[in-house]
């Protein structure tokens, strides 16, 4: 039961994050939506949560890669919601390219957002979770972090790092009643994958099609209430990384 709890979702203004926000709101959770730039989209998501699900919802513009900005944002959402019990680290970017040509800034930007961003959020929210003796952290990784992907060494490294972070946090915080799991999507139809429709890897999906954002949101919802599951990486990938 997550009704009445507060969930913080990074990158919640569109794509997979938006679907996660609606799913958790539909289950009665209040939602703090963290977004990078599109204020109108984030406000729309919050308004839909309030109107359709009757929960509290508020948007916060914050670059998750910025340690101090995350600290300030967590202080703001604590003032608004009192506390929080659920954190979904979904914000992520790609800067694909072949290793031999990859610019340093493209490697750094992806690792800073996808991996350090999750660390920043966990780092600043753990105090709330410890005080509550309750917390559920879910990191959105990728099958690229499990099996690797040519042309995505920066992205795969960041997502593999997220799996290591997930397992270490799960071990370290379990005694405090805090669980930490990861969801590893395969090909999910969003803005991030709109130029992937000709990717030959799509033909290798055993279930024969791309996934939808709701498929990932369902897995996140499961993990919010799976009280004996921690340190797990749940693939939502149509079987491609079996
Ligand atoms: P998207 O590009 O549609 O949305 C990404 C969200 O992250 C946006 O709301 C954006 O504003 C936010 N964001 C980006 N940088 C940020 C920053 N520095 N600070 C705060 N927010 C920031 O992407 P999509 O497809 O919805 O992906 C969501 C997550 O799922 C990402 O972590 C991605 O790596 C992961 N994923 C997606 C897959 C797919 O097939 N779409 C497959 C595997 C993993």
């Amino acid at each position: 039961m997550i009704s009445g709890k507060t969930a913080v979702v990074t990158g919640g203004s569109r794509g997979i994050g938006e679907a996660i926000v609606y799913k958790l709101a539909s289950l009665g959770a209040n939602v703090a939506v963290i977004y990078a730039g599109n204020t109108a989209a984030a406000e729309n998501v919050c308004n839909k949560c309030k109107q359709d699900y009757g929960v509290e919802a508020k948007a916060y513009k914050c670059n998750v890669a910025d340690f101090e900005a995350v600290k300030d944002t967590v202080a703001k959402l604590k003032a608004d919601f009192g506390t929080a019990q659920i954190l979904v680290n979904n914000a992520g970017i790609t800067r694909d390219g072949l290793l031999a040509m990859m610019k340093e800034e493209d490697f750094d930007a992806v690792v800073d957002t996808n991996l350090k961003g999750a660390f920043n959020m966990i780092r600043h929210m753990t105090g709330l979770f410890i005080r509550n003796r309750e917390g559920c952290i879910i990191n959105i990784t990728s099958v690229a972090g499990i099996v690797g992907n040519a042309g995505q060494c920066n992205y795969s490294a960041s997502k593999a790092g997220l799996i290591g972070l997930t397992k270490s946090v799960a071990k370290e915080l379990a005694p405090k009643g805090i669980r930490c799991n990861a969801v590893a999507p395969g090909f999910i139809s969003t803005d991030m994958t709109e130029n992937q429709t000709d990717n030959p890897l799509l033909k290798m999906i055993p279930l024969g099609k791309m996934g939808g954002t709701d498929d990932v949101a369902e897995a996140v919802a499961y993990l919010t209430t799976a009280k004996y599951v921690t340190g797990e990486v749940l693939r939502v990938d149509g079987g491609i990384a079996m």
Side-chain angles (χ1 to χ4, degrees), residues 11-17 34-37 62-65 90-93 113-114 140-143 155 159 185-188 190-193:
S13 59
R14 70 176 201 212
I16 291 171
I34 294 182
Y35 67 99
C62 172
N63 174 10
V64 295
N90 162 80
I93 59 168
T113 303
N114 299 4
I140 307 301
T141 175
S142 166
V143 292
Y155 183 77
K159 294 298 190 179
F187 284 97
I188 306 295
T190 68
D191 291 353
M192 190 180 267
T193 49

Side-chain angles (χ1 to χ4, degrees), residues 147-177:
V147 294
N149 197 17
Q152 286 198 309
C153 69
N154 49 359
Y155 183 77
S156 301
S158 72
K159 294 298 190 179
L162 210 41
I163 292 173
L165 179 72
T166 300
K167 293 180 180 180
S168 294
V169 169
K171 285 186 174 170
E172 188 170 324
L173 298 182
K176 308 281 184 199

